[in-house]
Amino acid sequence: MSSYYVIGQQEALGRLQQLIDENRVPHAMLITGPAGAGKMAVAMMFARMLLTEGLDEDKKRYACTMLDNFEHPDLYFSYPTIKTKDMPPDYKPQSDDFATEWLQMMKEGPYPTLEEWLTLIDAKTKQSLITVGESNRLIHNLSFNSSQGGYKIDIMWLPERMNLECANKLLKLFEEPPKMTVFILVSEQPENLLETIRSRMQRFDIKKISNDDMQQALIERRQLSADDAMRIARVANGNWNKALEMLSDDNENKEFLDAFIKLMRLSWMRNIHDLKAWSEDIAEWGRDKLKRMFVYFQHMIRESFMYNFRQPELIYMTREEENFCKNFARFINEANVIDIMKMFDKAYRDIGQNVNAKIVLFDIAINNIVLLLRK
């Protein structure tokens, strides 16, 4: 299966095609938008459009084969790298040093995440950057004529991770690139780019993926039923990566749902002994994971409250979550919903301020007993 595909975004692709048709392709553009909306997918498809434009059928087929295999000589990728222990002390890493890992990730699809990338390159605690080594590579490679006689393109993923030395060296290249050269910067945090870089870019914002497009993609690519696809699309809220995460066997939210169910059941039973054990077990998860858990708990309380209104269009839950809420939702009402939400919000802040996790969790357990009894 080709790695060049886009979920939805037909309006964005139409605008890009119009730039080509009207011969208004910018030499440097910045693609931004919500997480998981497909910024990299759109960038790669635009590159494909540019590199196949005007070719006859045989040449287009050959170009597409090279693109699918990530072997097109006129398409470059730039991305954050790390300094490994086997590199010389004065060596500046560049993208080619991690080409194997990049190819591995991109063959999974054009919706990469930083977390996935850092795991692949074994970054651990090292900071990933786009260094001056990459700017030197681009200046050298792009100085040659196009191999296929058309555009030369560099797609830079997460340009906000350029260090200052790299950014300053690329400024002139962005402003006055070689003939028929296009830079496509794909940014999650454009505000972190230098203003001098942003000012040289034509910004191109894409929207989150529509629920209909997300649902259709889940049916076609993941063979889900229409109902399951609709549920996941609504919860994912335009983020394809979040939708895929929800389908994963080790999806963190499944772990959070189990913790939520256990907390609520033990609280209703007023089982102090087991609630204390629950608090001690969950405290081992670590602060970042606990903060994500409290956000998820608030989601479950909010959706449980909305479930009581019996209006499906207002409910954003997976099938597993709704199965629990069918019986649980009646315990969340006007008398307690706000205070329960505040309780989890306070816990989130306390964990962020390094309050003892066991104390925070057990305090939640005790207060939750009282709150669930309110009518």
Side-chain angles (χ1 to χ4, degrees):
M1 182 182 294
S2 173
S3 293
Y4 290 77
Y5 65 87
V6 181
I7 307 298
Q9 303 299 353
Q10 292 308 303
E11 187 267 341
L13 293 175
R15 284 189 285 147
L16 291 172
Q17 183 62 57
Q18 187 175 3
L19 291 177
I20 298 174
D21 294 342
E22 297 176 357
N23 197 26
R24 293 189 297 109
V25 176
H27 64 261
M29 62 191 302
L30 175 65
I31 298 183
T32 68
K39 297 180 288 295
M40 189 65 175
V42 168
M44 289 174 60
M45 188 59 73
F46 185 44
R48 190 185 188 94
M49 292 155 64
L50 289 172
L51 293 172
T52 58
E53 179 68 19
L55 299 181
D56 62 39
E57 286 305 312
D58 287 341
K59 289 183 178 180
K60 179 175 284 191
R61 192 179 303 111
Y62 179 57
C64 288
T65 299
M66 290 191 293
L67 287 165
D68 289 341
N69 293 323
F70 292 87
E71 295 173 350
H72 198 294
D74 295 325
L75 177 59
Y76 302 91
F77 291 93
S78 301
Y79 36 85
T81 59
I82 59 171
K83 184 80 169 284
T84 62
K85 60 183 179 181
D86 58 336
M87 292 176 178
D90 60 345
Y91 181 75
K92 306 296 183 183
Q94 55 181 275
S95 296
D96 283 347
D97 297 322
F98 296 89
T100 300
E101 291 85 354
W102 178 258
L103 182 61
Q104 179 183 344
M105 181 171 73
M106 295 311 297
K107 283 193 171 179
E108 293 295 319
Y111 289 79
T113 67
L114 179 60
E115 293 75 17
E116 181 184 5
W117 178 237
L118 295 180
T119 299
L120 270 177
I121 63 175
D122 197 22
K124 295 181 180 177
T125 58
K126 295 180 181 177
Q127 185 179 15
S128 60
L129 296 170
I130 300 176
T131 74
V132 71
E134 184 64 17
S135 58
N136 292 337
R137 167 183 173 258
L138 289 175
I139 291 170
H140 175 265
N141 289 343
L142 296 174
S143 65
F144 298 103
N145 291 331
S146 164
S147 169
Q148 304 298 302
Y151 285 100
K152 294 173 293 181
I153 302 171
D154 179 66
I155 299 177
M156 181 176 288
W157 182 55
L158 304 183
E160 57 268 27
R161 288 184 170 256
M162 279 189 287
N163 63 19
L164 189 59
E165 188 179 9
C166 175
N168 286 334
K169 200 157 188 177
L170 286 177
L171 275 174
K172 185 171 179 58
L173 193 62
F174 289 152
E175 190 169 27
E176 299 178 11
K179 185 179 179 181
M180 295 289 285
T181 299
V182 176
F183 291 98
I184 307 175
L185 277 59
V186 181
S187 177
E188 294 286 347
Q189 298 174 306
E191 68 279 3
N192 290 343
L193 277 167
L194 292 177
E195 174 57 32
T196 48
I197 295 285
R198 292 201 304 270
S199 67
R200 286 161 170 78
M201 301 286 142
Q202 180 170 322
R203 180 160 172 159
F204 192 86
D205 291 272
I206 67 171
K207 302 174 183 177
K208 68 181 183 179
I209 303 170
S210 72
N211 285 351
D212 288 344
D213 287 333
M214 180 84 73
Q215 179 185 14
Q216 190 61 34
L218 288 167
I219 293 171
E220 293 176 356
R221 293 185 170 273
R222 298 290 162 158
Q223 290 75 53
L224 297 188
S225 68
D227 182 61
D228 285 342
M230 179 271 292
R231 289 172 180 273
I232 290 177
R234 286 167 62 84
V235 176
N237 192 29
N239 186 330
W240 179 247
N241 291 322
K242 185 174 181 181
L244 296 183
E245 180 185 312
M246 292 168 65
L247 295 173
S248 172
D249 289 336
D250 57 355
N251 175 17
E252 192 176 61
N253 281 2
K254 293 178 181 177
E255 198 173 10
F256 292 160
L257 176 60
D258 289 341
F260 181 82
I261 291 173
K262 190 168 186 179
L263 170 64
M264 294 304 160
R265 285 177 173 166
L266 291 175
S267 296
W268 180 250
M269 295 164 61
R270 306 181 202 181
N271 188 334
I272 303 297
H273 178 271
D274 286 354
L275 281 169
K276 186 172 186 298
W278 176 90
S279 304
E280 292 171 350
D281 290 341
I282 300 297
E284 300 297 322
W285 283 359
R287 295 188 180 277
D288 287 340
K289 187 172 180 179
L290 287 175
K291 288 165 71 175
R292 295 193 298 272
M293 182 189 75
F294 291 132
V295 172
Y296 177 83
F297 281 11
Q298 288 182 306
H299 156 76
M300 285 300 297
I301 294 299
R302 181 173 55 250
E303 296 305 319
S304 297
F305 181 68
M306 297 305 296
Y307 188 85
N308 293 314
F309 292 92
R310 305 296 178 186
Q311 296 185 40
E313 70 276 9
L314 299 177
I315 300 170
Y316 291 75
M317 287 188 286
T318 65
R319 187 180 299 276
E320 292 80 7
E321 291 168 347
E322 186 173 350
N323 285 339
F324 174 68
C325 284
K326 286 177 182 177
N327 294 317
F328 172 71
R330 68 180 186 273
F331 299 107
I332 305 301
N333 52 63
E334 292 88 344
N336 62 15
V337 62
I338 293 177
D339 285 338
I340 295 177
M341 293 287 282
K342 286 181 177 178
M343 175 181 70
F344 290 135
D345 185 59
K346 180 178 183 299
Y348 180 97
R349 287 184 279 108
D350 286 344
I351 290 296
Q353 295 169 4
N354 291 324
V355 177
N356 184 285
K358 290 181 182 179
I359 294 175
V360 171
L361 289 161
F362 191 56
D363 185 58
I364 281 175
I366 298 302
N367 287 326
N368 199 49
I369 292 174
V370 177
L371 290 171
L372 285 182
L373 292 174
R374 285 189 188 171
K375 302 264 187 202

